[in-house]
Amino acid sequence: MLKLLLKSVKRVSLKRIAEEVGVSIATVSLVLNGKDKGGRVSKETAAKILDKAAELNYMPNTLAKGLKLGRSKTIGLIVADISNVFFGTLALYIQEYAEKEGYAIIIANTNEQVKRMEKMIGLLKSRQIDGLIITPTEGSEYLIKDLIKYQMPLVLVDRSYPNLPVNSVLINNYEISYKSTKQLIQQGCKNIAFITYKQDHFHINERKRGYYEAVKEAGLYKAHNIQEVRYDFLRSDIDRAISYLVKKEEKIDGIFFATNSISIAGIKSLCKYNMGLQKDIQIMCFDECDAFYLLPFSIPFVRQPIEEMAKHAIKILIDNIEGKNIEIEKCFLDAELILK
Amino acid sequence: MLKLLLKSVKRVSLKRIAEEVGVSIATVSLVLNGKDKGGRVSKETAAKILDKAAELNYMPNTLAKGLKLGRSKTIGLIVADISNVFFGTLALYIQEYAEKEGYAIIIANTNEQVKRMEKMIGLLKSRQIDGLIITPTEGSEYLIKDLIKYQMPLVLVDRSYPNLPVNSVLINNYEISYKSTKQLIQQGCKNIAFITYKQDHFHINERKRGYYEAVKEAGLYKAHNIQEVRYDFLRSDIDRAISYLVKKEEKIDGIFFATNSISIAGIKSLCKYNMGLQKDIQIMCFDECDAFYLLPFSIPFVRQPIEEMAKHAIKILIDNIEGKNIEIEKCFLDAELILK
DNA sequence: TCAGCATGATTAATCGTTTAACTTATTACT
DNA sequence: AGTAATAAGTTAAACGATTAATCATGCTGA
């Protein structure tokens, strides 16, 4: 009874328009899709159909359309954590650019767990998404390979497997890390730490390599200045790392944080230990953070071109989906070092 | 040619399984949906079907299923700005709880513009979403009314129109604002400002009312201590407001920020004017912010139970969608005042 | 012997759209 | 007049899944 009540508000379909105008469903479809050129439908009939469609506020059923055409005009976006500002901003722009092309976005989180990533891919596939934008988790190479085999239009963003034949949009991690570390050295730092995730990610390794080359070149390399923390125990691992770094005999005078979450946790920790930022220790962060504005001095950071990344990812993906481009695209964008 | 190539990877359908096992599509469907009890299908056939489905890694086509059943197992989430941590976190939890019930989430942004909200509702409707979770923008009452008339399962979150017969999940805005303001008064503030959006939102008005009652009760009410800023000109309006408040003859000694975005912008501004936080001015914020951890003292704030909000919203919505509950639910959750 | 029932499966309609192929009537051309 | 071309539509199959209705077979008991 209730169900009947709920169903009573029927959506407007082509059939309804066809009946009310007195033509066949096919004619309505042709007109509404603009395929009535070349003497298919008379001007008057077309006008009547368009009027009726407007009057009834017709909206095509995307499910039916997708089923018939084999395309859903929907893109899956798989990120590690949508509550993280970096991914949130990425999602915002991806959604914006996708919408302009008539695509909707379904978002899924992995929480950096490959099992969840597998599940999410399955979930999105069963929804007949036309393509996928992914920031892959560690150890997900086999999933990416599967998707390639499956011929799923795909773009990796932020992170990538450089040896896989897959579209990607990345930043110049190595160069910007090298440059950022150099900057700390120029500011007079002699003992610079690098805090990063204990993860085997290409982009993370590149950042490490940039740091490494810069300190080595300056003759400042010390193995124990590189500290790795676990994603799942970020807070406690950072605390331990910072505590170690500031207490060891050769006290550090600079820290480079490899990601935004590490930056935030690291700064929190430094404050807890009451370290004199920019007096005793110079820091350098990946990504901007609101917290910076609280300080009486400015903290240098690497700004990623998130909007550009989103724009490129969507363009590459949609070109791929619509068959306009079948070449693999590896797109590298320049991040910016902000010193202010 | 290319298209043919792309199409060559066909998805596994019921038909394929039926052919390979040598039964009809109907039988496969029954077995895979667990509707083969009561002597519908023999154990052996069922086993063969299940095996084959597993072997081929069958995944139901959600579009076809949705078309047939009139339900898409998809929920639309419309927020103001997914790059805002509050909404990002909300989205994270909503997605998590929805997923547990087998629903996917499509996210859309309004940027606080009612025209965009209208567009997004249309876009989501045409995708046959089963229900909608919305943080409505200002002036969107007519859209909500439409949705109610349309009998769309719907839950408003964070914000609401209290007079409309619509499900909602809100916090106790009035009480928590009253309590927070009282707290500032107890700490000795005699001249407390309230900075809020120039928006006619129920939840915003409630927060203002809480502030108002508290200062009035203490005989501290002054009309010009309430400053309103525009969403689209947040930074500049906040700057002007703060500048005014700290420079006027009766200098303020406390500020209550009505939302998280206002808190962040406000603190930035205070730092710019070099105000001595917690010496000259006590502040009170809505929502937590990473920036707080940079300070040598703790900033009191109102913590919203975001996960609980998401949980309730999803429960109410899905009960509604599945016809388990047709009563209108107005759910109020308690926010927490964190002083540390 | 045969109605009645249980078991195990199939048939066919349906959801809303798209589109190739077909129809029918009119006009144009030689 | 006969053929072709054009205009203005319609028909019907298909996409993949669900499900009410039907069918076929074997068995039971009076």
Side-chain angles (χ1 to χ4, degrees), chain A residues 129-238:
Chain A
I129 43 145
D130 296 337
L132 223 33
I133 297 180
I134 306 187
T135 62
T137 66
E138 195 183 8
S140 64
E141 200 168 347
Y142 74 102
L143 290 172
I144 304 298
K145 280 183 184 161
D146 268 8
L147 288 169
I148 295 171
K149 209 165 77 190
Y150 193 86
Q151 305 199 24
M152 170 73 79
L154 176 64
V155 179
L156 303 187
V157 177
D158 179 44
R159 314 156 171 197
S160 179
Y161 293 102
N163 299 323
L164 254 39
V166 59
N167 300 307
S168 57
V169 176
L170 304 173
I171 59 160
N172 56 341
N173 283 294
Y174 170 75
E175 289 78 10
I176 197 71
S177 278
Y178 178 85
K179 194 170 162 190
S180 305
T181 311
K182 271 252 169 185
Q183 172 65 29
L184 286 176
I185 295 171
Q186 263 175 30
Q187 285 169 15
C189 295
K190 299 269 177 243
N191 205 11
I192 303 168
F194 183 72
I195 305 190
T196 181
Y197 278 123
K198 196 197 252 1
Q199 280 177 343
D200 184 25
H201 265 310
F202 178 69
H203 73 295
I204 293 285
N205 293 338
E206 284 291 280
R207 291 179 192 177
K208 196 200 278 186
R209 191 165 66 87
Y211 159 84
Y212 173 75
E213 290 294 340
V215 286
K216 201 180 137 201
E217 207 177 283
L220 299 173
Y221 173 66
K222 280 168 206 138
H224 51 266
N225 273 350
I226 297 182
Q227 290 285 317
E228 299 188 331
V229 297
R230 291 166 296 175
Y231 180 84
D232 292 322
F233 302 95
L234 179 57
R235 298 280 282 272
S236 57
D237 280 10
I238 282 264

Side-chain angles (χ1 to χ4, degrees), chain A residues 62 73 126-127 267 291 294, chain B residues 62 73 126-127 267 291 294:
Chain A
T62 319
K73 282 272 183 176
S126 83
R127 295 197 126 70
I267 294 175
L294 273 188
Chain B
T62 320
K73 282 270 182 179
S126 83
R127 294 197 127 71
I267 294 174
L294 274 187

Side-chain angles (χ1 to χ4, degrees), chain A residues 11 62 72-74 92 95 99 106 109 116 119-120 126-128 150 267-268 271 291 293-294, chain B residues 11 62 72-74 92 95 99 105 109 116 119-120 126-128 150 267-268 271 291 293-294:
Chain A
R11 299 204 60 255
T62 319
S72 61
K73 282 272 183 176
T74 306
L92 176 79
Q95 202 257 145
E99 189 200 320
I106 298 189
N109 288 290
R116 274 188 60 82
K119 189 175 169 196
M120 293 302 129
S126 83
R127 295 197 126 70
Q128 314 303 116
Y150 193 86
I267 294 175
K268 278 187 194 175
C271 288
Y293 291 89
L294 273 188
Chain B
R11 299 204 61 255
T62 320
S72 60
K73 282 270 182 179
T74 306
L92 176 80
Q95 202 257 147
E99 189 200 320
I105 298 289
N109 289 290
R116 274 189 59 83
K119 189 174 169 196
M120 293 302 129
S126 83
R127 294 197 127 71
Q128 313 303 115
Y150 193 85
I267 294 174
K268 278 187 195 175
C271 288
Y293 291 89
L294 274 187

Side-chain angles (χ1 to χ4, degrees), chain B residues 7-185:
Chain B
K7 297 245 165 167
S8 71
V9 177
K10 269 263 296 286
R11 299 204 61 255
V12 179
S13 64
L14 290 186
K15 194 172 160 195
R16 168 97 177 270
I17 297 178
E19 278 166 2
E20 300 209 7
V21 175
V23 293
S24 73
I25 295 179
T27 307
V28 178
S29 173
L30 290 174
V31 170
L32 261 27
N33 285 300
K35 302 200 173 162
D36 53 343
K37 309 307 163 201
R40 305 278 277 129
V41 181
S42 73
K43 288 222 175 235
E44 302 87 60
T45 310
K48 270 196 269 178
I49 290 172
L50 288 171
D51 284 355
K52 184 57 80 177
E55 180 197 329
L56 297 179
N57 190 25
Y58 169 75
M59 284 172 165
N61 182 324
T62 320
L63 297 189
K65 209 163 178 164
L67 177 59
K68 175 72 221 202
L69 298 181
R71 302 180 298 106
S72 60
K73 282 270 182 179
T74 306
I75 291 170
L77 172 63
I78 300 183
V79 295
D81 173 7
I82 188 65
S83 73
N84 176 314
V85 183
F86 174 75
F87 296 120
T89 309
L90 189 66
L92 176 80
Y93 288 120
I94 283 183
Q95 202 257 147
E96 206 169 296
Y97 284 103
E99 189 200 320
K100 281 185 189 150
E101 308 292 328
Y103 285 78
I105 298 289
I106 299 188
I107 297 184
N109 289 290
T110 64
N111 299 330
E112 298 288 7
Q113 290 162 246
V114 65
K115 276 292 154 213
R116 274 189 59 83
M117 177 163 155
E118 185 162 5
K119 189 174 169 196
M120 293 302 129
I121 289 176
L123 192 147
L124 292 169
K125 265 194 195 168
S126 83
R127 294 197 127 71
Q128 313 303 115
I129 42 145
D130 296 337
L132 224 33
I133 296 181
I134 306 185
T135 62
T137 67
E138 196 183 8
S140 63
E141 200 168 347
Y142 74 103
L143 291 172
I144 305 299
K145 281 184 185 161
D146 268 8
L147 288 169
I148 295 171
K149 208 165 76 190
Y150 193 85
Q151 306 200 23
M152 169 73 80
L154 176 64
V155 179
L156 304 187
V157 178
D158 179 45
R159 314 154 172 199
S160 179
Y161 293 103
N163 299 322
L164 254 39
V166 59
N167 299 307
S168 57
V169 177
L170 304 173
I171 59 160
N172 55 341
N173 283 294
Y174 170 75
E175 288 80 9
I176 198 71
S177 278
Y178 178 85
K179 194 170 162 189
S180 305
T181 310
K182 270 252 167 186
Q183 172 65 30
L184 287 176
I185 295 172

